[in-house]
Amino acid sequence: MTSATNERIGWIDEFKGCVLLLVCLFHVEQSFTSIDMGLSHASAFRMTAFFFISGALFSTRRFPTFVNYTKHKAKVLLLPYGLLSLLFLALDPVLYNFELYYPRSPKMMLLGIVPDIQNVWQYIGWNLFKIFVVGKSSVGSGPIWFVFNLFCVSIAFYLLQKITRGHFWKTFLLAVLSLIAGWVMNRYQVHLPFGFERVCTTLFFFACGSLCKNAIIALGKQKSCILVFVAAVSIWHYLFFENASPWFSIMNNHLGKNIGSFLASSGFGILSLVSVFLLMDRLPAWKSFATAKGILRNISRNGLIILAVHWWILLVLRIVFKAELDKPGLAYISIPIVIIGVILAIPLFRCKLYRLISKEKISAKESLSIH
């Protein structure tokens, strides 16, 4: 699904930008009890959709050997994961006033253990354990766990493809077995180093994305009325199967209690997004509509920065200003604060700190471009 010139595909960037936006807004909702935007209803597909579309973009054309592919993924995913986790650990407010801020900080659960942290050095030590053993990133960089997980899944799928030699049904069967393993670990609350349980779960969706590549291309060639029908049917089925759960979490491999419901809601949620964004790609380029699409594409291009920065801003707000902001109405101020902070952070990282995210240096204007 990549062109010969390796250009980005507009609707896929918009798809990814939408998912990232949902993630950020959910974290806002999660941070303050007085905010309720109903985003728990997107829990079933929010992260699975991102792994699915990442799988659809999977290609080894530029890196035919396992060593070359692993080196590339380590550079663009593993290295930024480690560096950003350490950077935002250093910026964690708890380090600078442990007695005051630690009781307000999100509590860690690591491999099923809730550590008894008594001082700042223990806090740093458990954060390092969280980053390099658990694979969940530091408290200050929360959602960056996704980058580590994507690295693991990409490497695992490369090996899976080599084992099956690209055979469709063999690949699908091994992906199903991986999902079953992830589901069993979910039911028995098994937590292993490097997030092995969630790697098993997300490998299934990554593999499905890769296996559905031709189907997505075929769907994109259908008439608009067909896309409207597919979108309407999939959205209806999603609403039928979806069961809102604020505790649904790919990060913790919390997948609910019914594997059929989980797969149906995730599957129809993903199909809804695919069909909607394929349809949106055909709509007239009205100025307001084009601006919205451009914003989503920019979110996708700067996803790593946005994931880390929006969480850190929310962490500071919920730790330092929680008493003031956790009131009806006032908590919504956090949304423009996060937006402003992210807009300022994007050119900072793309112009000055670009090596931390393994990107090329670009201008501030280009980093914020929505064209």
Side-chain angles (χ1 to χ4, degrees):
M1 295 184 67
T2 52
S3 66
T5 58
N6 201 37
E7 294 179 353
R8 302 181 75 104
I9 302 171
W11 77 264
I12 289 184
D13 269 349
E14 293 153 20
F15 178 110
K16 292 165 69 176
C18 176
V19 172
L20 287 168
L21 182 60
L22 290 174
V23 169
C24 294
L25 289 174
F26 176 72
H27 289 153
V28 172
E29 184 180 79
Q30 190 181 43
S31 297
F32 303 101
T33 57
S34 61
I35 294 181
D36 184 3
M37 295 178 282
L39 289 167
S40 60
H41 290 281
S43 296
F45 69 85
R46 196 168 45 237
M47 294 311 301
T48 54
F50 208 106
F51 285 103
F52 177 89
I53 207 67
S54 297
L57 295 171
F58 175 83
S59 173
T60 59
R61 182 181 56 192
R62 293 167 53 209
F63 309 100
T65 68
F66 176 73
V67 172
N68 288 339
Y69 183 78
T70 302
K71 285 181 178 179
H72 170 69
K73 288 300 178 183
K75 177 183 177 182
V76 299
L77 294 175
L78 193 59
L79 183 60
Y81 163 79
L83 293 177
L84 289 177
S85 293
L86 292 173
L87 171 64
F88 286 98
L89 170 59
L91 296 174
D92 190 329
V94 173
L95 269 61
Y96 304 99
N97 195 330
F98 180 82
E99 288 74 16
L100 178 62
Y101 294 144
Y102 177 68
R104 307 178 190 177
S105 177
K107 297 302 176 281
M108 292 183 269
M109 177 173 285
L110 310 175
L111 305 182
I113 300 169
V114 178
D116 181 19
I117 298 174
Q118 299 295 328
N119 57 59
V120 70
W121 294 109
Q122 290 180 358
Y123 183 76
I124 293 172
W126 279 108
N127 264 281
L128 294 175
F129 181 79
K130 189 171 185 277
I131 296 168
F132 297 111
V133 178
V134 182
K136 278 189 176 182
S137 72
S138 62
V139 171
S141 60
I144 298 301
W145 69 266
F146 164 80
V147 181
F148 178 80
N149 200 95
L150 185 58
F151 168 79
C152 295
V153 167
S154 300
I155 300 305
F157 187 70
Y158 188 102
L159 293 174
L160 189 152
Q161 285 283 81
K162 289 296 183 183
I163 292 170
T164 64
R165 297 182 180 179
H167 188 277
F168 184 97
W169 290 111
K170 289 179 181 178
T171 301
F172 181 70
L173 176 60
L174 289 180
V176 170
L177 292 176
S178 180
L179 174 66
I180 292 172
W183 179 261
V184 170
M185 285 185 275
N186 155 65
R187 290 306 303 271
Y188 291 97
Q189 299 183 6
V190 176
H191 300 285
L192 300 173
F194 310 115
F196 180 77
E197 65 280 3
R198 67 173 181 265
V199 171
C200 289
T201 299
T202 53
L203 177 59
F204 171 78
F205 293 97
F206 190 95
C208 285
S210 180
L211 295 175
C212 289
K213 193 177 300 185
N214 291 333
I216 295 172
I217 293 171
L219 181 62
K221 295 178 180 179
Q222 299 299 314
K223 295 180 179 179
S224 296
C225 60
I226 299 297
L227 282 177
V228 171
F229 175 77
V230 172
V233 170
S234 55
I235 290 171
W236 186 90
H237 279 85
Y238 176 77
L239 294 174
F240 178 81
F241 286 105
E242 183 267 337
N243 180 22
S245 172
W247 305 116
F248 180 91
S249 169
I250 288 291
M251 181 183 75
N252 296 310
N253 203 42
H254 293 164
L255 309 178
K257 297 180 180 180
N258 187 306
I259 190 170
S261 177
F262 166 64
L263 289 176
S265 55
S266 292
F268 283 116
I270 292 168
L271 182 56
S272 299
L273 285 178
V274 170
S275 53
V276 165
F277 280 97
L278 282 171
L279 187 62
M280 286 174 57
D281 202 41
R282 301 180 181 184
L283 296 178
W286 298 312
K287 187 174 181 180
S288 57
F289 189 64
T291 299
K293 292 173 69 174
I295 291 172
L296 291 179
R297 288 195 293 270
N298 186 277
I299 291 172
S300 176
R301 292 194 299 268
N302 295 300
L304 188 57
I305 302 167
I306 293 169
L307 279 176
V309 172
H310 93 277
W311 176 266
W312 177 78
I313 294 172
L314 286 172
L315 181 71
V316 172
L317 291 177
R318 69 195 286 190
I319 289 178
V320 181
F321 303 105
K322 187 173 179 63
E324 293 78 11
L325 288 176
D326 209 1
K327 297 175 182 177
L330 284 178
Y332 286 92
I333 297 174
S334 62
I335 296 177
I337 292 174
V338 168
I339 292 172
I340 293 169
V342 165
I343 290 173
L344 293 174
I346 288 173
L348 173 64
F349 276 89
R350 297 305 301 268
C351 301
K352 300 296 183 181
L353 305 176
Y354 54 93
R355 289 188 178 89
L356 289 178
I357 55 174
S358 297
K359 296 282 189 181
E360 297 293 330
K361 181 178 181 180
I362 61 175
S363 68
K365 182 178 179 180
E366 188 179 357
S367 71
L368 294 173
S369 172
I370 58 173
H371 301 295

